[in-house]
Amino acid sequence: MASHGSSTTSTTASATASTTAKARKRIWLTGASSGIGEGLARRLLADGHRVALSARSADKLEAIAADAEQGPGEALVVTLDLTDREAIRAAASQIEARFGGLDLALLNAGTCEYLDAREFEADLVHRVFATNFQAAVDVIESALPLLRMAAADGGERPQLAAVSSASAYLPLPRAEAYGASKAAVSYFLESLRLDLDNQGIDVSVIHPGFVKTPLTERNDFPMPMQVTVDQAVEAIVAGLARHRLDIHFPRRFTLLVKLLGILPAPLRRSIGLRMTRD
């Protein structure tokens, strides 16, 4: 019985290795040092992919890469400030030299600051848009030529994906900067999807609900139906594997928010006012 179990395990391991080798992808992941990004980095490397890890925290990226050294994946640490366009272009050149193209560009970097309308601060809005939207646009500029290389090779269509937010579906109090930046990401990628289709590149937009991360731990309000990083990673990886256009989770929450977002304006206003602080 023990011998039979050992043989089965060996066969399964060989099949898994073969599948991993066949499906191995070249991936550029931004915001890879913490939260959902770190979870995705570790999962994608464990699945055997070649992953370029980008964020400002070199020590955190090196730790992720070190943990993956004995595994089937390959990590390339590309430390950069995503608000620096020249640094992004240099990073893309480094990735091209190492990977020779990209099968997936996964834009995960983001930040959140809440606006106090009584002390309106335009600089806050600029900061949030610089990280959440403009940085995504700048990465897309540098990633698209690498995705086109993969598209020219034939096979599975390469993917461009970005993490937006369920807040993009529904205006919320104090979320003017964060929600608008994420709505901009969603609109931009959904439009770009139409123009990239005939170039052989698929585009996915990821709309998470509340995920327990260092970023959301700073929130000072209830977060219904919150999920763990592992649950978020599982939903994202599964959605990307199916090339889903809209990857949203947890679905009980996001479907409700979508429904609220299409209500007539007076009803949306009434619901929003109930969440507004005095």
Side-chain angles (χ1 to χ4, degrees):
M1 192 64 125
S3 174
H4 175 73
S6 175
S7 174
T8 302
T9 301
S10 176
T11 302
T12 302
S14 298
T16 301
S18 175
T19 301
T20 300
K22 182 179 180 181
R24 197 180 202 206
K25 293 184 177 180
R26 301 160 296 176
I27 300 169
W28 186 3
L29 172 64
T30 67
S33 62
S34 67
I36 295 174
E38 180 182 357
L40 283 168
R42 294 185 181 279
R43 169 63 182 273
L44 293 171
L45 287 166
D47 285 348
H49 299 297
R50 307 174 71 190
V51 188
L53 307 171
S54 287
R56 287 178 295 183
S57 305
D59 55 339
K60 294 181 180 179
L61 297 182
E62 293 289 356
I64 295 170
D67 289 344
E69 282 183 356
Q70 304 306 315
E74 176 186 346
L76 170 63
V77 173
V78 187
T79 308
L80 77 154
D81 180 348
L82 287 167
T83 62
D84 184 340
R85 294 182 70 185
E86 290 306 317
I88 291 172
R89 290 167 180 161
S93 296
Q94 186 177 348
I95 293 168
E96 180 182 358
R98 178 76 165 264
F99 292 170
L102 280 175
D103 302 298
L104 169 63
L106 181 46
L107 285 52
N108 169 73
T111 189
C112 180
E113 293 186 61
Y114 294 110
L115 188 69
D116 184 346
R118 294 168 299 186
E119 299 177 5
F120 192 94
E121 182 187 350
D123 283 346
L124 181 153
V125 180
H126 281 280
R127 288 194 301 270
V128 173
F129 264 79
T131 298
N132 290 357
F133 179 68
Q134 192 58 58
V137 173
D138 292 341
V139 172
I140 290 170
E141 176 188 50
S142 292
L144 277 178
L146 306 185
L147 293 168
R148 291 189 182 104
M149 291 178 184
D153 291 339
E156 186 177 357
R157 288 166 66 100
Q159 296 170 269
L160 170 64
V163 177
S164 178
S165 166
S167 65
Y169 299 140
L170 177 70
L172 298 169
R174 299 198 299 152
E176 291 89 346
Y178 177 75
S181 69
K182 292 300 189 179
V185 168
S186 296
Y187 186 97
F188 188 87
L189 263 76
E190 288 182 20
S191 293
L192 194 60
R193 175 188 296 150
L194 305 176
D195 292 320
L196 292 180
D197 184 73
N198 63 3
Q199 297 182 36
I201 299 172
D202 288 341
V203 177
S204 298
V205 188
I206 302 163
H207 295 96
F210 293 111
V211 181
K212 186 175 178 55
T213 68
L215 192 63
T216 58
E217 284 177 357
R218 301 185 309 197
N219 289 344
D220 57 357
F221 53 83
M223 293 177 282
M225 305 185 206
Q226 190 178 42
V227 298
T228 65
V229 166
D230 286 345
Q231 289 172 313
V233 167
E234 182 61 35
I236 292 170
V237 169
L240 290 173
R242 294 174 174 82
H243 288 238
R244 290 194 183 278
L245 305 181
D246 181 9
I247 302 169
H248 60 96
F249 59 89
R251 295 182 71 84
R252 288 182 304 156
F253 177 75
T254 51
L255 289 173
L256 175 61
V257 176
K258 281 188 174 190
L259 175 62
L260 295 175
I262 62 174
L263 291 175
L267 285 177
R268 293 202 310 271
R269 176 177 178 273
S270 177
I271 293 168
L273 286 174
R274 295 177 189 176
M275 294 183 279
T276 303
R277 299 180 177 183
D278 292 334

Short mmCIF file of all heavy atoms in Angstrom, two decimals, residues 8-66:
data_model
loop_
_atom_site.label_atom_id
_atom_site.label_comp_id
_atom_site.label_asym_id
_atom_site.label_seq_id
_atom_site.Cartn_x
_atom_site.Cartn_y
_atom_site.Cartn_z
N THR A 8 2.03 6.71 -6.97
CA THR A 8 0.99 7.66 -7.36
C THR A 8 1.47 9.09 -7.18
O THR A 8 1.27 9.95 -8.03
CB THR A 8 -0.28 7.43 -6.51
OG1 THR A 8 -0.72 6.09 -6.71
CG2 THR A 8 -1.38 8.39 -6.91
N THR A 9 2.15 9.34 -6.05
CA THR A 9 2.66 10.67 -5.78
C THR A 9 3.67 11.08 -6.83
O THR A 9 3.67 12.21 -7.33
CB THR A 9 3.32 10.73 -4.39
OG1 THR A 9 2.36 10.37 -3.41
CG2 THR A 9 3.86 12.13 -4.08
N SER A 10 4.56 10.13 -7.21
CA SER A 10 5.58 10.42 -8.21
C SER A 10 4.94 10.74 -9.55
O SER A 10 5.34 11.68 -10.25
CB SER A 10 6.52 9.22 -8.34
OG SER A 10 7.45 9.43 -9.37
N THR A 11 3.92 9.95 -9.94
CA THR A 11 3.23 10.18 -11.20
C THR A 11 2.55 11.53 -11.21
O THR A 11 2.61 12.28 -12.19
CB THR A 11 2.19 9.06 -11.45
OG1 THR A 11 2.86 7.82 -11.45
CG2 THR A 11 1.48 9.28 -12.77
N THR A 12 1.89 11.85 -10.09
CA THR A 12 1.20 13.13 -9.98
C THR A 12 2.18 14.29 -10.08
O THR A 12 1.93 15.28 -10.75
CB THR A 12 0.43 13.22 -8.65
OG1 THR A 12 -0.48 12.14 -8.58
CG2 THR A 12 -0.33 14.53 -8.55
N ALA A 13 3.32 14.16 -9.40
CA ALA A 13 4.33 15.21 -9.43
C ALA A 13 4.85 15.42 -10.84
O ALA A 13 5.06 16.55 -11.28
CB ALA A 13 5.48 14.86 -8.49
N SER A 14 5.07 14.30 -11.57
CA SER A 14 5.56 14.41 -12.95
C SER A 14 4.55 15.10 -13.84
O SER A 14 4.90 15.94 -14.67
CB SER A 14 5.87 13.01 -13.51
OG SER A 14 6.88 12.39 -12.75
N ALA A 15 3.26 14.74 -13.64
CA ALA A 15 2.21 15.36 -14.44
C ALA A 15 2.11 16.84 -14.15
O ALA A 15 1.94 17.67 -15.05
CB ALA A 15 0.87 14.67 -14.16
N THR A 16 2.23 17.18 -12.86
CA THR A 16 2.17 18.60 -12.47
C THR A 16 3.33 19.37 -13.07
O THR A 16 3.16 20.47 -13.58
CB THR A 16 2.19 18.73 -10.94
OG1 THR A 16 1.08 18.02 -10.41
CG2 THR A 16 2.11 20.19 -10.53
N ALA A 17 4.53 18.78 -13.01
CA ALA A 17 5.71 19.43 -13.57
C ALA A 17 5.56 19.65 -15.06
O ALA A 17 5.91 20.70 -15.60
CB ALA A 17 6.96 18.59 -13.28
N SER A 18 5.01 18.63 -15.75
CA SER A 18 4.80 18.74 -17.19
C SER A 18 3.80 19.84 -17.52
O SER A 18 4.01 20.64 -18.43
CB SER A 18 4.30 17.40 -17.74
OG SER A 18 3.98 17.52 -19.11
N THR A 19 2.71 19.87 -16.75
CA THR A 19 1.69 20.90 -16.97
C THR A 19 2.26 22.28 -16.71
O THR A 19 2.03 23.23 -17.47
CB THR A 19 0.48 20.66 -16.04
OG1 THR A 19 -0.05 19.37 -16.32
CG2 THR A 19 -0.59 21.70 -16.27
N THR A 20 3.03 22.41 -15.61
CA THR A 20 3.61 23.70 -15.27
C THR A 20 4.56 24.18 -16.37
O THR A 20 4.54 25.34 -16.75
CB THR A 20 4.37 23.62 -13.93
OG1 THR A 20 3.45 23.23 -12.91
CG2 THR A 20 4.99 24.95 -13.56
N ALA A 21 5.38 23.25 -16.86
CA ALA A 21 6.34 23.63 -17.91
C ALA A 21 5.61 24.10 -19.16
O ALA A 21 6.01 25.07 -19.81
CB ALA A 21 7.24 22.44 -18.23
N LYS A 22 4.53 23.42 -19.51
CA LYS A 22 3.77 23.76 -20.70
C LYS A 22 3.10 25.12 -20.56
O LYS A 22 3.03 25.89 -21.52
CB LYS A 22 2.72 22.67 -20.97
CG LYS A 22 1.91 22.91 -22.23
CD LYS A 22 0.91 21.78 -22.42
CE LYS A 22 0.08 22.01 -23.68
NZ LYS A 22 -0.91 20.93 -23.87
N ALA A 23 2.59 25.41 -19.37
CA ALA A 23 1.83 26.63 -19.15
C ALA A 23 2.69 27.77 -18.60
O ALA A 23 2.17 28.81 -18.23
CB ALA A 23 0.67 26.35 -18.19
N ARG A 24 3.99 27.60 -18.52
CA ARG A 24 4.87 28.59 -17.92
C ARG A 24 4.77 29.93 -18.66
O ARG A 24 4.93 29.97 -19.88
CB ARG A 24 6.31 28.09 -17.94
CG ARG A 24 7.23 28.84 -16.99
CD ARG A 24 8.63 28.28 -17.08
NE ARG A 24 9.38 28.59 -15.88
CZ ARG A 24 10.71 28.69 -15.84
NH1 ARG A 24 11.41 28.49 -16.94
NH2 ARG A 24 11.33 28.96 -14.71
N LYS A 25 4.53 30.98 -17.91
CA LYS A 25 4.35 32.29 -18.53
C LYS A 25 5.39 33.28 -18.04
O LYS A 25 5.94 33.15 -16.95
CB LYS A 25 2.94 32.83 -18.20
CG LYS A 25 1.82 32.05 -18.84
CD LYS A 25 0.46 32.68 -18.56
CE LYS A 25 -0.65 31.90 -19.26
NZ LYS A 25 -1.98 32.50 -19.01
N ARG A 26 5.62 34.30 -18.88
CA ARG A 26 6.48 35.41 -18.53
C ARG A 26 5.58 36.55 -18.06
O ARG A 26 4.76 37.05 -18.84
CB ARG A 26 7.32 35.83 -19.73
CG ARG A 26 8.21 34.71 -20.28
CD ARG A 26 8.63 34.96 -21.71
NE ARG A 26 7.48 34.96 -22.61
CZ ARG A 26 7.56 35.25 -23.92
NH1 ARG A 26 8.72 35.55 -24.46
NH2 ARG A 26 6.48 35.23 -24.67
N ILE A 27 5.77 36.97 -16.82
CA ILE A 27 4.82 37.88 -16.19
C ILE A 27 5.55 39.08 -15.59
O ILE A 27 6.60 38.93 -14.97
CB ILE A 27 4.03 37.15 -15.08
CG1 ILE A 27 3.26 35.96 -15.65
CG2 ILE A 27 3.07 38.11 -14.36
CD1 ILE A 27 2.67 35.03 -14.60
N TRP A 28 4.96 40.26 -15.76
CA TRP A 28 5.43 41.46 -15.07
C TRP A 28 4.35 41.84 -14.06
O TRP A 28 3.22 42.15 -14.44
CB TRP A 28 5.67 42.59 -16.06
CG TRP A 28 6.30 43.83 -15.45
CD1 TRP A 28 6.72 44.00 -14.17
CD2 TRP A 28 6.61 45.05 -16.15
NE1 TRP A 28 7.26 45.26 -14.00
CE2 TRP A 28 7.22 45.93 -15.20
CE3 TRP A 28 6.44 45.49 -17.45
CZ2 TRP A 28 7.63 47.21 -15.53
CZ3 TRP A 28 6.85 46.77 -17.79
CH2 TRP A 28 7.45 47.62 -16.84
N LEU A 29 4.70 41.80 -12.78
CA LEU A 29 3.76 42.09 -11.70
C LEU A 29 4.21 43.34 -10.96
O LEU A 29 5.31 43.37 -10.39
CB LEU A 29 3.69 40.91 -10.74
CG LEU A 29 2.88 41.11 -9.45
CD1 LEU A 29 1.40 41.35 -9.74
CD2 LEU A 29 3.05 39.91 -8.52
N THR A 30 3.38 44.38 -10.95
CA THR A 30 3.71 45.59 -10.19
C THR A 30 3.01 45.56 -8.84
O THR A 30 2.02 44.85 -8.64
CB THR A 30 3.29 46.86 -10.96
OG1 THR A 30 1.86 46.92 -11.04
CG2 THR A 30 3.89 46.88 -12.35
N GLY A 31 3.53 46.35 -7.90
CA GLY A 31 2.97 46.33 -6.54
C GLY A 31 3.15 44.98 -5.89
O GLY A 31 2.27 44.51 -5.16
N ALA A 32 4.31 44.35 -6.13
CA ALA A 32 4.51 42.95 -5.74
C ALA A 32 5.03 42.76 -4.32
O ALA A 32 5.24 41.62 -3.90
CB ALA A 32 5.49 42.29 -6.72
N SER A 33 5.23 43.83 -3.56
CA SER A 33 5.93 43.70 -2.28
C SER A 33 5.03 43.44 -1.09
O SER A 33 5.52 43.03 -0.03
CB SER A 33 6.77 44.96 -2.02
OG SER A 33 5.93 46.10 -1.92
N SER A 34 3.72 43.67 -1.20
CA SER A 34 2.84 43.47 -0.04
C SER A 34 1.41 43.22 -0.49
O SER A 34 1.07 43.43 -1.66
CB SER A 34 2.89 44.69 0.89
OG SER A 34 2.33 45.82 0.26
N GLY A 35 0.58 42.80 0.48
CA GLY A 35 -0.85 42.63 0.22
C GLY A 35 -1.14 41.65 -0.90
O GLY A 35 -0.52 40.57 -1.01
N ILE A 36 -2.09 42.00 -1.76
CA ILE A 36 -2.47 41.14 -2.88
C ILE A 36 -1.28 40.88 -3.79
O ILE A 36 -1.08 39.77 -4.29
CB ILE A 36 -3.63 41.77 -3.67
CG1 ILE A 36 -4.89 41.87 -2.80
CG2 ILE A 36 -3.93 40.96 -4.93
CD1 ILE A 36 -6.03 42.61 -3.48
N GLY A 37 -0.44 41.91 -4.00
CA GLY A 37 0.70 41.76 -4.88
C GLY A 37 1.68 40.71 -4.39
O GLY A 37 2.16 39.88 -5.17
N GLU A 38 1.98 40.72 -3.09
CA GLU A 38 2.87 39.71 -2.55
C GLU A 38 2.25 38.32 -2.67
O GLU A 38 2.94 37.34 -3.02
CB GLU A 38 3.20 40.00 -1.08
CG GLU A 38 4.13 38.97 -0.47
CD GLU A 38 4.43 39.21 0.99
OE1 GLU A 38 3.95 40.22 1.55
OE2 GLU A 38 5.14 38.37 1.60
N GLY A 39 0.96 38.24 -2.37
CA GLY A 39 0.28 36.95 -2.49
C GLY A 39 0.33 36.42 -3.92
O GLY A 39 0.57 35.23 -4.16
N LEU A 40 0.10 37.30 -4.89
CA LEU A 40 0.17 36.90 -6.30
C LEU A 40 1.58 36.49 -6.68
O LEU A 40 1.78 35.50 -7.40
CB LEU A 40 -0.29 38.06 -7.19
CG LEU A 40 -1.80 38.30 -7.28
CD1 LEU A 40 -2.09 39.65 -7.94
CD2 LEU A 40 -2.48 37.17 -8.05
N ALA A 41 2.57 37.26 -6.21
CA ALA A 41 3.95 36.94 -6.54
C ALA A 41 4.31 35.53 -6.08
O ALA A 41 4.88 34.73 -6.84
CB ALA A 41 4.89 37.96 -5.90
N ARG A 42 3.99 35.23 -4.84
CA ARG A 42 4.34 33.92 -4.29
C ARG A 42 3.56 32.80 -5.00
O ARG A 42 4.12 31.73 -5.26
CB ARG A 42 4.07 33.91 -2.79
CG ARG A 42 5.00 34.86 -2.01
CD ARG A 42 4.80 34.75 -0.51
NE ARG A 42 5.68 35.68 0.21
CZ ARG A 42 6.95 35.46 0.48
NH1 ARG A 42 7.52 34.32 0.11
NH2 ARG A 42 7.68 36.35 1.15
N ARG A 43 2.31 33.04 -5.32
CA ARG A 43 1.51 32.01 -5.99
C ARG A 43 2.01 31.78 -7.42
O ARG A 43 2.16 30.62 -7.86
CB ARG A 43 0.04 32.45 -5.99
CG ARG A 43 -0.87 31.62 -6.88
CD ARG A 43 -0.96 30.15 -6.43
NE ARG A 43 -1.80 29.40 -7.32
CZ ARG A 43 -3.13 29.30 -7.20
NH1 ARG A 43 -3.74 29.92 -6.20
NH2 ARG A 43 -3.84 28.61 -8.06
N LEU A 44 2.28 32.85 -8.15
CA LEU A 44 2.71 32.70 -9.54
C LEU A 44 4.07 32.02 -9.63
O LEU A 44 4.31 31.20 -10.52
CB LEU A 44 2.75 34.07 -10.22
CG LEU A 44 1.39 34.75 -10.40
CD1 LEU A 44 1.57 36.20 -10.87
CD2 LEU A 44 0.51 33.98 -11.38
N LEU A 45 4.95 32.34 -8.70
CA LEU A 45 6.26 31.67 -8.67
C LEU A 45 6.11 30.20 -8.28
O LEU A 45 6.77 29.32 -8.85
CB LEU A 45 7.19 32.39 -7.70
CG LEU A 45 7.70 33.75 -8.18
CD1 LEU A 45 8.32 34.54 -7.04
CD2 LEU A 45 8.71 33.57 -9.32
N ALA A 46 5.24 29.93 -7.32
CA ALA A 46 5.00 28.54 -6.92
C ALA A 46 4.40 27.72 -8.05
O ALA A 46 4.61 26.50 -8.13
CB ALA A 46 4.08 28.50 -5.70
N ASP A 47 3.66 28.39 -8.93
CA ASP A 47 3.06 27.71 -10.08
C ASP A 47 4.06 27.51 -11.22
O ASP A 47 3.69 26.96 -12.27
CB ASP A 47 1.85 28.49 -10.59
CG ASP A 47 0.63 28.34 -9.68
OD1 ASP A 47 0.65 27.46 -8.79
OD2 ASP A 47 -0.34 29.10 -9.86
N GLY A 48 5.28 28.02 -11.04
CA GLY A 48 6.32 27.76 -12.03
C GLY A 48 6.51 28.83 -13.08
O GLY A 48 7.21 28.61 -14.07
N HIS A 49 5.92 30.00 -12.89
CA HIS A 49 6.05 31.06 -13.89
C HIS A 49 7.34 31.85 -13.71
O HIS A 49 7.99 31.81 -12.66
CB HIS A 49 4.84 31.99 -13.81
CG HIS A 49 3.53 31.30 -14.07
ND1 HIS A 49 3.24 30.72 -15.28
CD2 HIS A 49 2.45 31.09 -13.27
CE1 HIS A 49 2.03 30.18 -15.23
NE2 HIS A 49 1.53 30.39 -14.02
N ARG A 50 7.68 32.60 -14.73
CA ARG A 50 8.81 33.53 -14.69
C ARG A 50 8.23 34.91 -14.40
O ARG A 50 7.47 35.43 -15.23
CB ARG A 50 9.57 33.52 -16.01
CG ARG A 50 10.01 32.14 -16.45
CD ARG A 50 10.63 32.17 -17.83
NE ARG A 50 11.95 32.81 -17.82
CZ ARG A 50 12.63 33.14 -18.92
NH1 ARG A 50 12.08 32.93 -20.12
NH2 ARG A 50 13.82 33.70 -18.83
N VAL A 51 8.56 35.48 -13.27
CA VAL A 51 7.87 36.68 -12.81
C VAL A 51 8.85 37.81 -12.52
O VAL A 51 9.78 37.65 -11.71
CB VAL A 51 7.05 36.39 -11.53
CG1 VAL A 51 6.19 37.61 -11.19
CG2 VAL A 51 6.16 35.16 -11.71
N ALA A 52 8.65 38.94 -13.19
CA ALA A 52 9.39 40.16 -12.89
C ALA A 52 8.62 40.89 -11.80
O ALA A 52 7.46 41.25 -11.98
CB ALA A 52 9.52 41.03 -14.13
N LEU A 53 9.26 41.08 -10.66
CA LEU A 53 8.62 41.67 -9.49
C LEU A 53 9.01 43.14 -9.38
O LEU A 53 10.20 43.47 -9.26
CB LEU A 53 9.06 40.94 -8.22
CG LEU A 53 8.89 39.42 -8.21
CD1 LEU A 53 9.56 38.82 -6.98
CD2 LEU A 53 7.41 39.05 -8.25
N SER A 54 8.01 44.02 -9.39
CA SER A 54 8.28 45.46 -9.31
C SER A 54 7.59 46.09 -8.12
O SER A 54 6.41 45.82 -7.86
CB SER A 54 7.86 46.17 -10.59
OG SER A 54 8.75 45.89 -11.65
N ALA A 55 8.31 46.93 -7.42
CA ALA A 55 7.81 47.76 -6.32
C ALA A 55 8.99 48.61 -5.88
O ALA A 55 10.11 48.48 -6.39
CB ALA A 55 7.27 46.91 -5.17
N ARG A 56 8.75 49.50 -4.90
CA ARG A 56 9.85 50.34 -4.41
C ARG A 56 10.68 49.63 -3.34
O ARG A 56 11.83 49.99 -3.12
CB ARG A 56 9.29 51.65 -3.84
CG ARG A 56 8.80 52.61 -4.91
CD ARG A 56 8.23 53.86 -4.31
NE ARG A 56 7.02 53.59 -3.54
CZ ARG A 56 6.28 54.52 -2.95
NH1 ARG A 56 6.65 55.79 -3.03
NH2 ARG A 56 5.18 54.20 -2.29
N SER A 57 10.11 48.64 -2.68
CA SER A 57 10.78 47.98 -1.54
C SER A 57 11.67 46.84 -2.02
O SER A 57 11.22 45.69 -2.13
CB SER A 57 9.73 47.46 -0.55
OG SER A 57 8.88 48.50 -0.14
N ALA A 58 12.93 47.15 -2.26
CA ALA A 58 13.86 46.14 -2.78
C ALA A 58 14.02 44.97 -1.82
O ALA A 58 14.07 43.81 -2.23
CB ALA A 58 15.21 46.77 -3.06
N ASP A 59 14.09 45.26 -0.51
CA ASP A 59 14.32 44.19 0.46
C ASP A 59 13.16 43.19 0.48
O ASP A 59 13.37 41.98 0.57
CB ASP A 59 14.55 44.77 1.86
CG ASP A 59 13.43 45.68 2.32
OD1 ASP A 59 12.68 46.20 1.46
OD2 ASP A 59 13.30 45.90 3.54
N LYS A 60 11.94 43.69 0.35
CA LYS A 60 10.78 42.80 0.34
C LYS A 60 10.75 41.95 -0.92
O LYS A 60 10.42 40.75 -0.88
CB LYS A 60 9.49 43.60 0.49
CG LYS A 60 9.35 44.29 1.84
CD LYS A 60 8.03 45.05 1.92
CE LYS A 60 7.89 45.74 3.28
NZ LYS A 60 6.63 46.52 3.38
N LEU A 61 11.08 42.56 -2.06
CA LEU A 61 11.10 41.80 -3.31
C LEU A 61 12.20 40.73 -3.28
O LEU A 61 11.99 39.61 -3.74
CB LEU A 61 11.33 42.75 -4.49
CG LEU A 61 10.26 43.80 -4.75
CD1 LEU A 61 10.62 44.63 -5.98
CD2 LEU A 61 8.88 43.16 -4.93
N GLU A 62 13.36 41.10 -2.73
CA GLU A 62 14.46 40.13 -2.64
C GLU A 62 14.07 38.97 -1.74
O GLU A 62 14.46 37.82 -2.00
CB GLU A 62 15.71 40.82 -2.10
CG GLU A 62 16.31 41.87 -3.03
CD GLU A 62 16.98 41.27 -4.25
OE1 GLU A 62 17.05 40.02 -4.36
OE2 GLU A 62 17.44 42.04 -5.11
N ALA A 63 13.30 39.24 -0.68
CA ALA A 63 12.88 38.17 0.22
C ALA A 63 11.94 37.21 -0.50
O ALA A 63 12.04 35.98 -0.34
CB ALA A 63 12.19 38.76 1.45
N ILE A 64 11.03 37.75 -1.31
CA ILE A 64 10.12 36.90 -2.08
C ILE A 64 10.91 36.05 -3.07
O ILE A 64 10.67 34.85 -3.23
CB ILE A 64 9.07 37.76 -2.81
CG1 ILE A 64 8.16 38.47 -1.81
CG2 ILE A 64 8.24 36.90 -3.77
CD1 ILE A 64 7.26 39.53 -2.43
N ALA A 65 11.87 36.69 -3.75
CA ALA A 65 12.69 35.97 -4.72
C ALA A 65 13.51 34.88 -4.05
O ALA A 65 13.66 33.77 -4.58
CB ALA A 65 13.60 36.95 -5.46
N ALA A 66 14.05 35.18 -2.87
CA ALA A 66 14.86 34.19 -2.15
C ALA A 66 14.03 32.99 -1.74
O ALA A 66 14.48 31.84 -1.83
CB ALA A 66 15.50 34.84 -0.92
#
